[in-house]
Amino acid sequence: IEDLRDMEMATFMGIWQAAAKVRDMSADEKKAHVEAYKAEKAAKAAEEQAKKDAEAAARAAELAEHRAQKEKEEAEAAAKKAQEEAEAQAEEAAKAEASPEDVDTVREEFGVLMKGMPSHDDSAAAAQAVTAARYALYAASQQVYPTEYPLPPAGDGSEIFKSADEAGEGVVTYKEMSKYIGRNQSTLKIKLQEGFEEFNDQFSIEDLRDMDAATFMGIWQAAAKVRDMSADEKKAHVEAYKAGKAAKAAEAQAKKDAEAAARAAELAAVREQKEAEKKADQ
């Protein structure tokens, strides 16, 4: 009833005549033919049913896989949402608890660390902690604290000396300290600011004298005082120091020039004396 194909008379007559032949068979032939036909019909029906069952099973498996994928995606989305909510709650809680005292605490820890000569990783981590605390405070209250960011303390210089005294003997030469300053001048400049030039000028690569911790600390603390002066005091001090340094350099150069001139005059006198003696001999 569901077959919509067209059929002409010759086709129908062929089907009819094939069926009519069965009628004219003997009883045994009829029985054998009918049983064979029914068996073939049953086999085809079984094959069609198996095909339908396989297709149904495939569709069921596909639907099950689709449902499983959808459930997995929904579970992942729910887990992500829960995590985001938890992080947001934690961030809000952190913001609510942020205070200037928190910033002061990490700044104090940073200051203690920077009294010595920390590694790059340690100083970077400490600085990042200060930044994070300041950001948390701003996120909580839109408050910038501190409004002026002070330099880390210069310290008394003892940790600097210990760092330079790699052998732990309690004594280093001025030459060794000069090399140490050259390797670490970027950090030392930050610590001493305007006092660094005056500090650095105390050391020479050619100076082989020994220096103990007390001597070094005196030099360091004198330079650190410059950093803590007012702006006007710093300017006046630095200009006076540079003027004095230039005057000393000019004096030293004048002394060298005078010594060179004296040596030249002495040599000229010796030559003249020799020439006069030579003429006298002739």
Side-chain angles (χ1 to χ4, degrees):
I1 195 70
E2 298 173 356
D3 195 340
L4 301 178
R5 292 176 298 166
D6 291 333
M7 179 177 57
E8 59 186 15
M9 182 180 290
T11 301
F12 175 78
M13 288 172 67
I15 297 171
W16 176 269
Q17 291 169 12
K21 286 180 180 180
V22 179
R23 190 190 71 163
D24 298 332
M25 291 178 182
S26 66
D28 291 338
E29 287 175 335
K30 284 180 182 178
K31 181 178 179 182
H33 180 85
V34 171
E35 288 178 353
Y37 173 73
K38 288 183 176 179
E40 183 181 356
K41 183 178 179 181
K44 287 182 179 179
E47 183 180 352
E48 288 293 328
Q49 187 61 44
K51 184 178 179 181
K52 289 180 180 179
D53 292 343
E55 291 174 350
R59 286 196 299 272
E62 185 178 353
L63 289 172
E65 182 180 357
H66 178 73
R67 284 196 297 270
Q69 181 64 27
K70 186 176 181 180
E71 289 173 356
K72 179 182 178 182
E73 292 174 355
E74 290 175 349
E76 290 176 348
K80 183 179 180 181
K81 182 179 179 181
Q83 182 179 358
E84 290 175 350
E85 290 177 350
E87 290 175 352
Q89 291 175 357
E91 185 176 353
E92 290 299 323
K95 289 179 180 179
E97 296 174 359
S99 67
E101 289 74 17
D102 296 331
V103 179
D104 288 339
T105 298
V106 291
R107 284 184 57 240
E108 183 177 351
E109 293 171 354
F110 178 70
V112 171
L113 179 69
M114 293 306 292
K115 285 181 179 179
M117 290 293 291
S119 68
H120 172 77
D121 290 344
D122 289 343
S123 59
Q128 180 61 30
V130 175
T131 301
R134 296 184 74 206
Y135 173 79
L137 177 61
Y138 183 80
S141 61
Q142 285 69 56
Q143 179 182 0
V144 176
Y145 179 83
T147 53
E148 294 183 4
Y149 209 88
L151 292 167
D156 61 5
S158 59
E159 294 298 325
I160 308 298
F161 185 86
K162 287 179 183 178
S163 182
D165 181 19
E166 296 178 354
E169 297 174 343
V171 174
V172 298
T173 65
Y174 279 75
K175 177 180 180 178
E176 290 170 337
M177 183 59 72
S178 179
K179 289 183 176 180
Y180 176 84
I181 294 169
R183 293 193 302 270
N184 298 278
Q185 61 177 312
S186 59
T187 300
L188 298 176
K189 281 181 178 180
I190 292 173
K191 287 177 174 291
L192 293 178
Q193 297 291 303
E194 294 84 356
F196 177 77
E197 182 179 356
E198 186 173 341
F199 166 77
N200 189 44
D201 287 343
Q202 306 300 313
F203 306 93
S204 169
I205 198 71
E206 299 173 355
D207 194 339
L208 301 179
R209 293 176 299 157
D210 287 333
M211 175 177 55
D212 59 17
T215 302
F216 175 80
M217 289 168 65
I219 296 172
W220 176 268
Q221 291 168 20
K225 286 180 180 179
V226 179
R227 189 190 82 155
D228 298 329
M229 293 177 179
S230 67
D232 291 340
E233 288 174 332
K234 283 180 186 178
K235 182 179 179 181
H237 181 88
V238 170
E239 288 177 352
Y241 175 74
K242 288 184 175 181
K245 183 178 176 180
K248 287 181 180 179
E251 182 181 350
Q253 187 60 47
K255 183 178 179 181
K256 287 181 181 179
D257 293 344
E259 291 174 350
R263 286 194 298 272
E266 184 178 350
L267 289 172
V270 170
R271 282 196 297 270
E272 290 176 0
Q273 179 67 28
K274 287 183 177 180
E275 290 175 358
E277 291 175 353
K278 186 176 180 181
K279 287 181 180 180
D281 291 339
Q282 292 175 350

